[in-house]
Structures are given as structure tokens and as C-alpha cells.
Amino acid sequence: MENPLGCCLLTGNIGRNLKKSNMEHFDYIIAGGGCAGRSLATRLLPFLKARNKRVLVVDKSTKKENDKTWCFWEDRTDIFEPVVQRKWNRLSFSGLSYDKELSIQPYFYKMIRSGDFYQYTNDLLTNSPQVSIKQGEVQNLYSEDKKAIVTIDGVLYSADYVFSSIPQAQEKDSQRYQYLLQHFNGWVIETTADTFDPSCATLMDFNTSQHAGTSFFYVLPLSPRRALIEYTLFSEEVLPTASYTAALEKYIREQINCDHYTILEKEQGVIPMSDHPIKREDGRIIYLGTAGGFTKGSTGYTFRFIQKHTSAIVEKLYRSGHPRVPPISSFRFPIYDGVLLHLLNSKRLSGVEIFTTMFKKNHPVKILKFLDNETSIFEELLIFNTLQKKEFAMALWKRTLKLMKADSL
Ligand SMILES: Cc1cc2nc3c(=O)[nH]c(=O)nc-3n(C[C@H](O)[C@H](O)[C@H](O)COP(=O)(O)OP(=O)(O)OC[C@H]3O[C@@H](n4cnc5c(N)ncnc54)[C@H](O)[C@@H]3O)c2cc1C
């Protein structure tokens, strides 16, 4: 079955015919020990100890490699502050004839290397007698009345609740919804002379061709001679590797003004950007992370939404003993995301036009709050008043028509 996330899928029937006698039971099973699974497991530790509960965390990979760099902004310190590698309270933005250095206080823009996060969470989780960590492939999940069943490498396990960040099977429905990809290649480079200002990160620099879709660079300075430079695009298809390489080389040469550097590390990734609703729960299975729809459709940011969701789950467990939580954001935000995606897809306005207007006409703190789904409706109206109202209204109308048309088929 095709999946908009483009990832592996659980197969459905495996496990239902396996023997259930002697099945090992846990209070909770966390299926997928990546960002969301480990965020939840770590937040659960005091609760597990206080209530003497047991959790199994299973992932098919050993999670030893540094496969991602997570950036996000927050105005407080949270439990993963010890692994924040760098943080900035000044960001630069370069759009259409507009360059600005922005103070984002009280926020800090933070960067975590996934390798540090896996190591840190591993140390905490393996030291807890309540936690078992297993490397194995989850082949199936299903919910029964009072428990959920998980098949791992052909063996059945049960739990009161399963938290899964393993991609769900979901067919594309292009009649109704928009599907874009945020795809990127990044290099950590070291230069031979002082080149970067480590006190200011580049959030978006649109000084690159917009030919292949909304395209921008992202620069995270780690020292005067070291930075992560990432070439990011929003479009329907990923590019051949050579195209990312050529764009990175050109940007470093022409915008960073640097000819002599060494590439220390490379990163690449694809994040789904869609307004296709995703099932958040299925009986005793609670979905987390990207698999649970916590990737913001219009930006791809996920890390902070994972933290908000997993904190809400733990709070709910303390208060009521069950982990079902109401949505962490207002219903308004998926509509805004859908409109923005529709606008980007329709090409009536380019990403550079939209983001330039947004940052030029609004305080950056308000924009960050808005992109975090935390503004009030009044604050949102003030922001909308500064945007290209005609194009946004048209996109809202067209998207609504698209949904209505698809419903009547
Ligand atoms: C390269 C990259 C950079 C990103 N940067 C940012 C960023 O800067 N800021 C931001 O907010 N978001 C970012 N994201 C988006 C998002 O935050 C990450 O994708 C994040 O890892 C999502 O967390 P997750 O737990 O949902 O998925 P994952 O972290 O991918 O965890 C899912 C886990 O499930 C495991 N798994 C899958 N199938 C099975 C199976 N059948 N059996 C057992 N285990 C299985 C996988 O091995 C994986 O460990 C980035 C994404 C990528 C790909």
C-alpha cells in the first residue's frame, strides 16, 4: 500500500494467528524508539518508578548513528536541554529584496544532534529497572478490548497501551489533499579562515534559484570556522544528489564567499508536508511523532510538537491512569497549513513571496509563536491582515471546494 510518508508499513495480519499463551505482558510498549518514542520513554521515567509500571521500547535499529539534526525554538528549558549543542537568540532572514537580522528573545533557536540524543536517552533508559530495550522489527500491531498486541520478530507481546511512531499505512488521496515533500541535503563544513558569526543562525536564505520549487538555505554556525549548511526545497519530487551538491557548492562560493573548506559530515532527509489527516489513536494504540500527525504540514517542524504531545500523555497518565489526550493544537492550525500548502502547490504565490511578507511585516516572535500553533485567533487575524489577502482567500476557497467536490464523488 502506498504511503504519503514513503516509509515501511506494518503488514496487518501477521501475528493474529500466532500463539498467545505465555505472551509477555508490559504496562506499555513503545514501538519505534526514535525521537518520539525516546521522548516519551524519558518523560515517563518518574511515573514508571512512582507507579511501578514496566515499559518495553522496541526499535529495528540500534540508534547509534547521528542521522538527523533537530532544530526548534522554545522560550524555556526542557528535559533535553543537556543535549542542546548550540542555541541562538538572533536569526537572519533573507528574502525578496529583504535582509534582516531578527532578535527572537524570549525564544532560543536550539540544535540537537540525534546521535547525542540517542546516547543521552539510552543512558537514562538502560539505568531504569522499569525499562526494557529491545532491538527488533515490529511486524504488526493491533488493539483488543483491554490490551494491545505487538508482534516483534514473530513473537507476540501485549501491553495495556502501545505507543507507536512506526509509519501507518495510509493511501494518498490527491483528490482531497495536498502532498509536498520537504527535502534537503546539508553539509557540516570547516573553513580555513574565520567565516561565520556563531551568534546568529540563518533561518531562511532564499538567495538561490526558485526553479525547482520553494528553495532556501539554512546555516547553523557552530564556530567561526564551522557550520551546518543545508539546502532545503519544498516540492513534489526529490532531486538527484548532484543537484543538491551543485547548489551547496554555489551557495558556499557565492553567498558565504568561501572557496576553501572541508566537508566534515553530510545529512540528508525528506519530511512529508501534507494536510491529509492522520489517525491519532486506534483502540489501545496511540500514535506518536510523524506517524501520529505531529509533523506540521506547512513547515515540517516536528520536534517541539513531539515534546508537547509526550508531556501531555505523561500528565494525563498521572491524573487519570490513561494516556488519551485531546489535540495539542487548535483545529484552526491544520486548516491554515492546508491553505498554505494549497497556495504553494498552486504556484499562485511562491514560498519566497509568502515568507518574505510574513517576516517583513510581523514581529519574528509572533511568527514563531504562530508556527508553533500557539497564537490566539486575535493574533492570527493580525498576521493574516499583513499577508497577501486575495491569494490566501482564493486558496482557502479553492481548498474548500476541492474537499467538497471530493466528498460529493
Ligand atoms: C534528516 C531529518 C532532519 C530533521 N530535522 C528536523 C528539525 O530540524 N526540526 C524538526 O522539528 N523536525 C525535523 N525533522 C522531522 C522530525 O522531527 C524527525 O523526522 C523526527 O525524527 C520524527 O520523530 P519520530 O519519532 O516520529 O520518527 P523517527 O525518529 O524516525 O522514529 C521512528 C522509529 O521507528 C523505527 N521503526 C520504523 N519501523 C519500524 C519497525 N517496523 N519496527 C521497529 N522499529 C521501527 C525507526 O527505526 C525509528 O527509530 C527532521 C527529519 C529528518 C528526516
Side-chain angles (χ1 to χ4, degrees):
M1 192 181 291
E2 197 184 3
N3 177 357
L5 306 180
C7 305
C8 57
L9 302 172
L10 302 179
T11 41
N13 288 325
I14 298 171
R16 288 192 192 250
N17 303 322
L18 294 174
K19 253 196 170 164
K20 289 192 181 168
S21 53
N22 302 325
M23 185 162 58
E24 194 173 357
H25 184 82
F26 290 85
D27 295 291
Y28 312 112
I29 293 177
I30 297 181
C35 181
R38 281 162 183 269
S39 296
L40 177 64
T42 307
R43 289 184 188 281
L44 272 175
L45 287 174
F47 172 81
L48 299 174
K49 194 168 175 193
R51 305 285 168 94
N52 198 23
K53 303 274 189 191
R54 289 172 68 226
V55 64
L56 171 69
V57 182
V58 57
D59 199 290
K60 64 181 179 185
S61 117
T62 54
K63 309 307 287 180
K64 294 259 185 274
E65 75 288 17
N66 181 59
D67 52 3
K68 292 174 187 118
T69 304
W70 290 303
C71 284
F72 55 96
W73 51 90
E74 59 185 4
D75 58 1
R76 64 205 71 185
T77 53
D78 197 4
I79 61 166
F80 297 117
E81 192 69 18
V83 281
V84 170
Q85 194 194 10
R86 285 280 183 286
K87 55 184 178 183
W88 302 267
N89 58 15
R90 287 191 303 130
L91 295 178
S92 77
F93 177 92
S94 294
L96 273 183
S97 319
Y98 177 72
D99 298 294
K100 185 92 196 256
E101 210 169 278
L102 315 161
S103 162
I104 59 163
Q105 266 165 332
Y107 288 114
F108 273 95
Y109 194 71
K110 301 184 180 181
M111 165 186 169
I112 291 179
R113 286 162 57 88
S114 63
D116 296 339
F117 173 89
Y118 301 144
Q119 179 65 53
Y120 180 70
T121 49
N122 229 35
D123 291 348
L124 292 172
L125 298 175
T126 49
N127 275 330
S128 163
Q130 276 83 30
V131 180
S132 305
I133 300 189
K134 185 173 179 56
Q135 189 187 348
E137 171 137 18
V138 174
Q139 294 159 312
N140 190 31
L141 305 171
Y142 64 92
S143 184
E144 292 186 342
D145 191 23
K146 296 223 162 90
K147 57 180 186 270
I149 312 290
V150 183
T151 314
I152 307 171
D153 294 335
V155 180
L156 293 180
Y157 297 81
S158 65
D160 291 355
Y161 288 96
V162 170
F163 300 97
S164 174
S165 54
I166 297 175
Q168 299 184 56
Q170 190 183 52
E171 274 183 275
K172 269 193 183 178
D173 182 356
S174 304
Q175 302 271 20
R176 279 189 177 77
Y177 305 115
Q178 275 77 229
Y179 302 91
L180 277 182
L181 298 174
Q182 177 176 149
H183 46 108
F184 44 90
N185 266 224
W187 295 347
V188 176
I189 64 164
E190 187 156 77
T191 58
T192 49
D194 287 359
T195 306
F196 305 105
D197 170 6
S199 68
C200 181
T202 302
L203 183 67
M204 288 177 143
D205 181 350
F206 284 95
N207 281 303
T208 182
S209 159
Q210 301 297 306
H211 185 66
T214 297
S215 313
F216 58 92
F217 278 84
Y218 181 71
V219 182
L220 302 177
L222 308 172
S223 76
R225 294 185 182 204
R226 194 178 280 207
L228 168 63
I229 301 179
E230 208 144 82
Y231 175 47
T232 304
L233 298 99
F234 300 167
S235 68
E236 282 171 37
E237 304 283 343
V238 297
L239 302 178
T241 308
S243 305
Y244 301 101
T245 303
L248 277 158
E249 285 173 350
K250 182 167 164 34
Y251 183 80
I252 296 170
R253 194 173 57 245
E254 294 178 3
Q255 303 297 327
I256 308 274
N257 296 319
C258 176
D259 288 318
H260 304 289
Y261 58 90
T262 313
I263 300 169
L264 302 179
E265 286 173 33
K266 290 186 177 182
E267 169 180 282
Q268 60 170 54
V270 181
I271 306 177
M273 297 172 77
S274 176
D275 54 350
H276 192 139
I278 292 183
K279 192 165 55 177
R280 305 233 157 151
E281 287 178 20
D282 184 2
R284 290 193 165 242
I285 301 168
I286 315 279
Y287 292 100
L288 306 175
T290 299
F294 292 92
T295 292
K296 188 171 169 69
S298 60
T299 63
Y301 280 106
T302 317
F303 189 88
R304 273 292 296 155
F305 296 105
I306 286 176
Q307 302 316 321
K308 288 189 226 177
H309 182 224
T310 52
S311 302
I313 289 174
V314 177
E315 226 172 83
K316 194 68 195 271
L317 280 170
Y318 268 118
R319 272 193 284 118
S320 67
H322 77 79
R324 295 196 182 92
V325 293
I328 57 164
S329 304
S330 158
F331 72 93
R332 299 190 302 279
F333 291 97
I335 300 176
Y336 305 153
D337 290 332
V339 170
L340 188 58
L341 282 172
H342 195 285
L343 204 48
L344 291 173
N345 250 345
S346 70
K347 303 190 175 65
R348 279 183 67 91
L349 266 186
S350 63
V352 58
E353 290 172 289
I354 297 169
F355 287 105
T356 303
T357 309
M358 212 181 246
F359 278 96
K360 196 169 171 179
K361 300 201 172 161
N362 295 280
H363 195 285
V365 169
K366 277 275 145 50
I367 297 297
L368 295 184
K369 193 174 170 193
F370 175 59
L371 297 179
D372 251 352
N373 297 359
E374 288 182 354
T375 37
S376 66
I377 190 152
F378 179 66
E379 291 171 308
E380 289 147 28
L381 289 173
L382 290 178
I383 292 174
F384 298 153
N385 194 39
T386 65
L387 301 180
Q388 294 88 339
K389 290 186 265 304
K390 199 170 128 214
E391 281 78 6
F392 273 85
M394 184 73 90
L396 175 62
W397 170 241
K398 289 223 162 139
R399 181 175 179 261
T400 311
L401 270 186
K402 188 174 173 179
L403 289 173
M404 281 164 48
K405 246 197 221 159
D407 283 341
S408 67
L409 286 179

